[in-house]
Amino acid sequence: MIYPWHLYFMASIYIFAGIMHFIRPKMYLRIMPRYLPNPKLLVILSGIAEIFLGIGLCFPETKNLAISGIIAMLVVFLIVHYYMLTSKKAGAGIPVWILLLRIPLQFGLMYWAFWYFQL
């Protein structure tokens, strides 16, 4: 089945983001909340998850499972966004208004993924 281009675009975004976990792991380690155990492992696992979920979007047999996984992952990532708001180091000098804007953006990404259940 051929899906609309924007589903493949979404898939490529997650695959790219997952690959970046391995290219720039320090960037992701900086935003990983300190109270979570084994931050390096969590960065690796989240990168693997993003890659596999992005690939899963491209196939009819795995699309809905991948959508569910992406939505769950984005919910969990809200922890990181909150941590970036409350930790000066994790915020990396990004203006607070941008960090705040990322929270509704996260819900927008969830809605975007949810929208593909109907395909």
Side-chain angles (χ1 to χ4, degrees), residues 10-11 14 49-50 53-54 57 63-77 106 109-110 113:
M10 176 190 281
Y14 286 106
E50 284 185 292
L53 292 170
L57 286 174
K63 179 183 68 73
N64 286 346
L65 182 62
I67 291 168
S68 298
I70 287 170
I71 292 169
M73 179 180 67
L74 292 171
V75 168
V76 171
F77 286 178
Q106 198 78 353
L109 291 172
M110 288 179 218

Side-chain angles (χ1 to χ4, degrees), residues 25-97:
K26 288 182 182 179
M27 179 176 71
Y28 293 93
L29 281 169
R30 179 180 42 205
I31 65 173
M32 186 63 66
R34 297 293 163 236
Y35 53 82
L36 295 176
N38 205 343
K40 283 184 180 182
L41 177 62
L42 292 175
V43 167
I44 290 168
L45 291 176
S46 60
I48 290 169
E50 284 185 292
I51 292 167
F52 277 102
L53 292 170
I55 293 169
L57 286 174
C58 299
F59 300 98
E61 302 82 13
T62 56
K63 179 183 68 73
N64 286 346
L65 182 62
I67 291 168
S68 298
I70 287 170
I71 292 169
M73 179 180 67
L74 292 171
V75 168
V76 171
F77 286 178
L78 287 170
I79 296 168
V80 172
H81 295 301
Y82 178 75
Y83 181 68
M84 289 181 75
L85 274 168
T86 59
S87 167
K88 188 172 182 129
K89 182 179 178 186
I94 299 170
V96 172
W97 70 270

